[in-house]
Amino acid sequence: MAGVRVSGSIFQRGSASTPSESEQDSSQVQSPELDDRKVRRREKNRVAAQRSRKKQTQKADSLHKEYECLEQENGCLKKEVAKLAEEVKRLSGVLKAHEQICPLLLRPVNLVTMPRTTDGIPHCLPR
């Protein structure tokens, strides 16, 4: 098949491209040094890929543990919010009941400032 060299590559005409016999011979006659380099490079790549997968797995495990802790904390906080809402409701009821019977709220209030006491805090008492 005819080939045309264009900037470092060969464009071959025809339906199938097969390497020429000289290219096949050169690929089969590699020196042991090239084979060793290829084997070392593949081994190094394999180890790096294992390391990468292990690191990715550890990160996923770490994120999963963090997720579980946050879910548990979120559940506890939701329970606390519900408990505090119930307490607010209960205390509001207590306050409402107290407002109906409190003598201080039922009569007019005149606040008189009393002289300072020994502790230095002014007292405001209803009269």
Side-chain angles (χ1 to χ4, degrees), residues 3-5 18 23 26 30 35 46-47 50 54 61 75 80 82-83 90 110-112 114 123 126:
V4 178
R5 181 169 288 280
T18 56
E23 289 173 343
S26 66
Q30 291 182 355
D35 286 342
R46 185 183 64 78
V47 170
Q50 283 179 334
K54 184 177 179 181
D61 290 345
E80 186 178 355
K83 180 181 153 188
R90 183 184 66 79
N110 292 324
L111 294 178
V112 178
M114 302 294 285
H123 294 281

Side-chain angles (χ1 to χ4, degrees), residues 29-62:
V29 185
Q30 291 182 355
S31 68
E33 183 180 297
L34 289 177
D35 286 342
D36 288 345
R37 284 178 53 194
K38 187 182 274 188
V39 168
R40 282 193 307 262
R41 189 178 45 213
R42 283 185 181 165
E43 178 65 17
K44 189 176 178 181
N45 184 272
R46 185 183 64 78
V47 170
Q50 283 179 334
R51 211 173 29 243
S52 176
R53 286 189 292 271
K54 184 177 179 181
K55 186 177 178 182
Q56 188 176 14
T57 302
Q58 288 173 340
K59 185 174 182 178
D61 290 345
S62 173

Side-chain angles (χ1 to χ4, degrees), residues 47-78:
V47 170
Q50 283 179 334
R51 211 173 29 243
S52 176
R53 286 189 292 271
K54 184 177 179 181
K55 186 177 178 182
Q56 188 176 14
T57 302
Q58 288 173 340
K59 185 174 182 178
D61 290 345
S62 173
L63 286 173
H64 185 69
K65 285 179 185 178
E66 183 180 359
Y67 165 80
E68 287 178 339
C69 288
L70 290 173
E71 281 290 320
Q72 185 176 7
E73 183 180 358
N74 192 24
C76 290
L77 290 172
K78 284 183 178 183

Side-chain angles (χ1 to χ4, degrees), residues 3-23:
V4 178
R5 181 169 288 280
V6 176
S7 66
S9 65
I10 296 180
F11 290 87
Q12 293 182 342
R13 295 183 189 158
S15 61
S17 61
T18 56
S20 65
E21 286 183 29
S22 62
E23 289 173 343

